[in-house]
Amino acid sequence: MDSNDRAAGKPEAVHTGDDRLAETPDPDRAADLMLAEDPSDDPRVRDSGERPTETSDGLARPVDYGAKYGAGSDRGLVLGGGGVFFIAWQVGYLNGLRKRGVDLTSAQIVVGTSAGALVASIVSAGKLAAFSREVGMLAKLMGIVAPAPDLRPSQSRALTMFSKATDASADTLRSIGFAALAAHGESAASFRRRVGLVLGVGSNKWPARSLNIATVDAYTGERLIVTSAAGVSAARAAAASASVPGLFDPQPIHDRRCMDGGVSGSGTHSDIVAGARRAVVIALGASIPPEKAWGTMPVGSLDREMQALAAAGTETLVRGPRKVDSATLMSPKSVPEALVMADEQADDDAATIGGFWR
């Protein structure tokens, strides 16, 4: 139970056998009365005694390469989104580099978006080697976070609005967010528990100050960056970042409901490392740039982000899988191929990345 669960002022829910939750008795709404009488006991309350609003919780951060959010750091690691396939590829690639003497987990800033948020949480917790040793279990673990195959009409509507979007304007993001909020997808609590199972012991805490997880406020359309200062668990933040509209219900973080970080028009949110001396960016379209826009991400967006990083003084290397099948991105069956491909690419890249990282 993290600060969101404690701050809700409600007892824990009891599962009823389907996807509905029944609350245990809450006599006289005592928790709400206690919060009203003594707001200092509410984890959502800042030192000022005010509960956070859309602008006071510190999560919203505008995309701004000129702000140089990563200034003062030597190394940054950016892990982008791309489904179950890309989780496996990232784990295999990072571990393949580690086995060859190149440890990217030493980054002072780690940024995770969607699939990359789960891997970033694993990396930041120092679990990459242990996680990678369970190669035989990895497909099963990825199956835990794969979405259900059959979608309700409300889910299909939200997913289509996201995938068929043509821009990342505030109006577009809010429209997608409203559809996500209205969709009857997998409950936020259920998906969060499954993400916690994948992340393992300690997922109810924040693993390291270096970890930054990108997500999007489904109501306001704001880009959010969740850090250790938010007081929520890694499982909650990673689940929020991976909550694809229509597939999974938006996750509660403080007084917000948050959806997939890739909805915002960027699959990497690399501006968070802008100003760092160097950064390795792991992106799905790095090796095979998309020929057409997908969702809110226009053609050439990754190239423009890398140009912006260079302008901010950050030297970058960009890597990604050499082959991508969009039809199997969310399938656990793609895991074995992803692991083999990742290790082969790590072998090819180890010398280059090792020289850059040192």
Side-chain angles (χ1 to χ4, degrees), residues 98-176:
R98 183 193 63 80
K99 292 189 298 182
R100 294 164 175 86
V102 183
D103 186 7
L104 297 187
T105 67
S106 61
Q108 285 86 42
I109 307 175
V110 179
V111 184
T113 302
S114 195
L118 276 76
V119 181
S121 299
I122 291 166
V123 165
S124 299
K127 295 180 179 180
L128 178 62
F131 196 81
S132 300
R133 282 195 293 269
E134 302 296 332
V135 172
M137 290 292 294
L138 196 52
K140 292 182 179 179
L141 286 173
M142 294 304 95
I144 291 176
V145 293
D150 299 322
L151 302 182
R152 298 179 175 95
S154 63
Q155 293 180 274
S156 295
R157 180 178 61 228
L159 185 60
T160 298
M161 289 184 68
F162 173 37
S163 62
K164 300 297 184 183
T166 57
D167 61 71
S169 68
D171 286 344
T172 296
L173 299 186
R174 284 193 290 266
S175 294
I176 295 170

Side-chain angles (χ1 to χ4, degrees), residues 77-91 94 105 109-125 128 131 142 145 191 195 198-199 206-207 210-215 226 234-235 237-244 260-262 266-269 280-284 297 319 321 329-330:
L77 176 62
V78 179
L79 302 173
V84 167
F85 164 84
F86 204 31
I87 294 174
W89 189 93
Q90 289 185 34
V91 168
L94 294 174
T105 67
I109 307 175
V110 179
V111 184
T113 302
S114 195
L118 276 76
V119 181
S121 299
I122 291 166
V123 165
S124 299
L128 178 62
F131 196 81
M142 294 304 95
V145 293
F191 185 50
V195 169
V198 171
L199 298 183
W206 198 259
S210 59
L211 178 61
N212 297 256
I213 291 180
T215 184
V226 186
S241 187
S243 288
V244 178
D260 195 292
S266 172
T268 62
H269 297 275
V280 172
V281 178
I282 307 296
L284 188 67
M297 287 177 275
R319 293 293 186 270
L329 286 180
M330 297 303 290

Side-chain angles (χ1 to χ4, degrees), residues 46 51-60 217 220 222 224 256:
R46 300 301 186 192
R51 292 181 177 84
T53 65
E54 291 175 4
T55 57
S56 71
D57 61 9
L59 297 180
D217 187 311
T220 67
E222 294 171 293
L224 312 177
R256 301 178 184 265

Side-chain angles (χ1 to χ4, degrees), residues 195-207:
V195 169
L197 286 174
V198 171
L199 298 183
V201 177
S203 64
N204 61 333
K205 300 177 181 178
W206 198 259

